Amino acid sequence: MSLSTSIRTDVRQYYETYVKKTAEFYNKCANLMEKKGLSQTKVHIPTPDGIEKVHQQSFLGGWFTGHRSLNAAEILQLHFHFTGLAAAKEFYRSFAQTVDSKEVKQYFERGETMIEKHLKILQSHLAKDELSQIPTWESEIKESTAAPFSEKLMLYKISVLSASATGKYGMAISSVMRKGVGLDLSRMMAEFLQYGEDGLNLMIERGHMDQIPLAKG
């Protein structure tokens, strides 16, 4: 987005460089995970014999009923969101066990609980079609309570994760066709929006939030 919205040549070159570097780094990580047997769970669906057309509006399902099988795009979104949230949950949990402020700790714990609920909802949609269970990362978090980062940095990181989740939910809603799945994603996006706003209020109260330049008014 930054590359496509920048005008100055040197700024666009900067973003282009880091788009390439990020892609290279991702490929290195993916190759290393595959080499060590840590790749994400593969989801298998039947290979179609040919192109099939949709002939009935019931393909979209009702808001509360209708359980046709998930299509490939919906499986991709559910799987993508589950793996991202499973990793994010461990940030929330690890930050909660290392931060000193009781109020901030409760905020991180609330986020962990919210994500745990979202993971169960996403997995339930996959389970209905007997698709693979996706692993989570609870066992990877150490028991240390020594804070590796400042409260300001932890709140900022959580605000970025919350904003990212909200944006990804919006993207997913626009690509799923089964109404029940879209309804769940809409609810979860609304919860993240409220959670993110509460986090910004915490940052403002503690003087951690820098003001973005404003238009002349």
Side-chain angles (χ1 to χ4, degrees):
M1 185 186 71
S2 298
L3 174 62
S4 63
T5 56
S6 298
I7 297 174
R8 274 178 42 174
T9 302
D10 59 337
V11 175
R12 283 187 282 109
Q13 288 173 342
Y14 171 83
Y15 285 122
E16 182 183 8
T17 297
Y18 281 94
V19 166
K20 292 178 180 177
K21 286 183 178 292
T22 301
E24 291 170 0
F25 182 64
Y26 170 76
N27 283 326
K28 287 180 180 179
C29 289
N31 290 338
L32 187 58
M33 288 182 70
E34 186 174 3
K35 181 178 179 181
K36 290 182 171 292
L38 298 172
S39 298
Q40 296 178 1
T41 304
K42 291 180 175 63
V43 179
H44 298 281
I45 60 174
T47 302
D49 295 326
I51 297 174
E52 296 182 28
K53 301 294 184 182
V54 176
H55 299 289
Q56 296 181 337
Q57 289 184 334
S58 59
F59 180 83
L60 304 178
W63 288 111
F64 301 101
T65 59
H67 297 292
R68 63 139 173 89
S69 298
L70 294 167
N71 63 35
E74 291 160 348
I75 294 170
L76 171 65
Q77 291 295 339
L78 292 169
H79 194 277
F80 174 71
H81 282 284
F82 189 101
T83 54
L85 286 174
K89 184 170 79 78
E90 303 316 315
F91 276 97
Y92 287 69
R93 187 159 70 96
S94 59
F95 287 176
Q97 77 183 33
T98 59
V99 73
D100 292 328
S101 167
K102 182 178 179 180
E103 186 178 12
V104 176
K105 177 182 176 68
Q106 290 174 341
Y107 176 70
F108 291 157
E109 289 175 339
R110 174 185 153 203
E112 180 191 355
T113 301
M114 177 183 67
I115 291 179
E116 183 65 37
K117 183 180 74 171
H118 289 193
L119 290 173
K120 289 179 180 178
I121 293 171
L122 296 173
Q123 187 67 70
S124 70
H125 283 294
L126 294 168
K128 286 174 184 175
D129 284 355
E130 299 180 349
L131 296 170
S132 313
Q133 293 284 317
I134 306 172
T136 51
W137 304 97
E138 290 87 351
S139 62
E140 301 299 318
I141 301 300
K142 299 182 182 296
E143 296 180 359
S144 172
T145 57
F149 308 114
S150 67
E151 176 188 282
K152 178 180 179 179
L153 182 57
M154 286 190 276
L155 277 169
Y156 175 73
K157 177 64 177 177
I158 292 302
S159 75
V160 171
L161 289 173
S162 298
S164 175
T166 302
K168 289 174 182 177
Y169 277 141
M171 178 183 67
I173 291 167
S174 68
S175 64
V176 301
M177 299 179 188
R178 210 168 83 180
K179 292 180 180 177
V181 176
L183 184 62
D184 279 338
L185 291 170
S186 296
R187 286 198 195 105
M188 293 189 288
M189 183 174 71
E191 289 182 6
F192 254 112
L193 282 169
Q194 183 59 61
Y195 182 79
E197 180 181 345
D198 293 343
L200 291 177
N201 286 331
L202 273 176
M203 293 176 70
I204 292 170
E205 289 172 8
R206 286 164 165 70
H208 294 333
M209 188 171 177
D210 297 334
Q211 180 171 291
I212 297 174
L214 304 175
K216 183 179 179 180

